[in-house]
Amino acid sequence: MAMKLSGPGDIGKVSFLDSTKTNLFKLKGGFALKRKDNAKSFGMGARCSMQGPPPAWPGRAVPEQGHKTWDGPKPISIVGSTGSIGTQTLDIVAENPDKFRVVALAAGSNVTLLADQVKTFRPQLVAVRNESLVNELKEALADADYKPEIIVGEQGVIEVARHPDAVTVVTGIVGCAGLKPTVAAIEAGKDIALANKETLIAGGPFVLPLAQKHNVKILPADSEHSAIFQCIQGLPEGALRRIILTASGGSFRDWPVEKLKDVKVADALKHPNWNMGKKITVDSATLFNKASYFGLEVIEAHYLFGAEYDDIEIVIHPQSIIHSMIETQDSSVLAQLGWPDMRLPILYTLSWPDRVYCSEITWPRLDLCKQGSLTFKAPDNVKYPSMDLAYAAGRAGGTMTGVLSAANEKAVEMFIDEKISYLDIFKYVELTCDKHRAELVVNPSLEEIIHYDLWARKYAAGLLPSPVAV
């Protein structure tokens, strides 16, 4: 049963991470982790975990012998075509019609944009998840000289993901709604251009063995993991020593800790470097999620590259020019640099292991002299307790990482709706993870992953303080 708090002040009485007194963090009820000492030596290198699922890329990336290079346009499907990832992918296709072609598109409810995409890219199959809008889509396509097959609902999205002609599927759909289509694509032997974080953060224990079984490549489409993936190209076996994730620091990187209690939604939505949606921008501020390169990205790096959590480090890099780095056994550090532009990692997932020429007009080249200085600093665990929560959930493994992600999404939603304070985001996530310890499933099925995603959202919402009579 969800814990009920009688008033906003009561949540402060719940045990919380104390990053000032000890290296052992212990949440209420015993959810604990050992914090990595950033000063320690990593002389043993980035050890691949002996527990848990097989990583997508165990410390190196080498194309298989006989890997096909496409002579004509590579056929792709896009799940989530009207979202940020989907529209940027279609920008790439539009600029490179000789390299890529779209065979299937799936969207949620933006049928006006979907109709425009159909007219431009002429896919064979289209899915609209919101079944009530299918007639609106057909009406929007009434005057089109080309009519694709249309399938509605979740099954339609799955059919797009496993379209027989597609070689690569771009998974841009948000949340656990992206899990079933991704699994369907893997079972159909499609390579995955991964932009849906739940695929690994929640589904890693199930998805990774499945991808290995079907010999499917999972190619990271977000900037920091694409940077690591690019840096490990051609490394000899055992060469990886450490992964260094860089983070912009989000909206509050220059705020003193004591001021965070006064944060408003408008403050959290002012990201200094990236133009993103509300959810991702707040995640960047809390350092939980994608654009922050913290929290959940540490978990995703573990699943993608197999490094132990002690060998994944976090560095604040305000300029967002270095998208992440690796250290090799001989202490060399390799970095991937570029202007903040999500199209670059998306393009690499589509073209790997090839490189596609990009016009300077639409893809400005990096000018380090124009950029000037690049700076770095250690993250503040007091300001960003999300880091410690993520390391704890990652070490717990199994369904805990999905619970962390789902609870965070629900807490961020409540913050954006002004139902809880900014600092309450961390507390709600902590309490949900602590509650889940008793039901943790180490090797979950797909059904169990989805079940605990829904459970975590419901439990986090149930922590909302009861209204106080006035």
Side-chain angles (χ1 to χ4, degrees), residues 5-14 424 427 465 468:
L5 301 167
S6 61
D10 284 2
I11 199 165
K13 300 175 184 177
V14 178
D424 285 342
K427 299 174 184 178
V468 179

Side-chain angles (χ1 to χ4, degrees), residues 116-165:
D116 289 341
Q117 293 174 346
V118 169
K119 294 174 183 178
T120 300
F121 297 98
R122 304 171 73 89
Q124 301 167 30
L125 176 65
V126 171
V128 56
R129 189 177 186 89
N130 189 334
E131 299 182 31
S132 66
L133 297 175
V134 65
N135 289 332
E136 184 179 335
L137 175 62
K138 291 178 177 179
E139 184 178 337
L141 294 172
D143 61 346
D145 61 354
Y146 171 78
K147 303 290 194 303
E149 179 184 2
I150 299 174
I151 306 179
V152 299
E154 182 180 64
Q155 189 58 39
V157 179
I158 289 173
E159 294 303 325
V160 165
R162 64 185 181 195
H163 191 282
D165 291 349

Side-chain angles (χ1 to χ4, degrees), residues 72-134:
K74 178 189 285 188
I76 66 171
S77 291
I78 304 174
V79 178
S81 67
T82 57
S84 174
I85 295 297
T87 55
Q88 290 180 89
T89 301
L90 289 173
D91 287 344
I92 293 169
V93 174
E95 186 165 332
N96 299 277
D98 59 325
K99 302 292 184 184
F100 313 107
R101 66 183 177 93
V102 176
V103 297
L105 295 174
S109 58
N110 190 344
V111 294
T112 301
L113 179 54
L114 179 59
D116 289 341
Q117 293 174 346
V118 169
K119 294 174 183 178
T120 300
F121 297 98
R122 304 171 73 89
Q124 301 167 30
L125 176 65
V126 171
V128 56
R129 189 177 186 89
N130 189 334
E131 299 182 31
S132 66
L133 297 175
V134 65

Side-chain angles (χ1 to χ4, degrees), residues 197-198 201 224-225 245 279 283 287-290 292-303 386-387 390-391 393 401-402 404-406 408-409:
K197 64 183 176 61
E198 279 78 14
I201 293 170
E224 67 279 11
H225 298 117
L245 294 168
K279 166 67 171 59
D283 279 336
L287 297 194
F288 256 120
N289 201 5
K290 275 194 183 305
S292 65
Y293 314 122
F294 276 65
L296 302 181
E297 302 310 337
V298 170
I299 298 168
E300 195 167 358
H302 167 76
Y303 280 132
S386 56
M387 293 187 301
Y391 274 101
T401 52
L404 175 87
S405 177
N408 171 59
E409 287 196 14

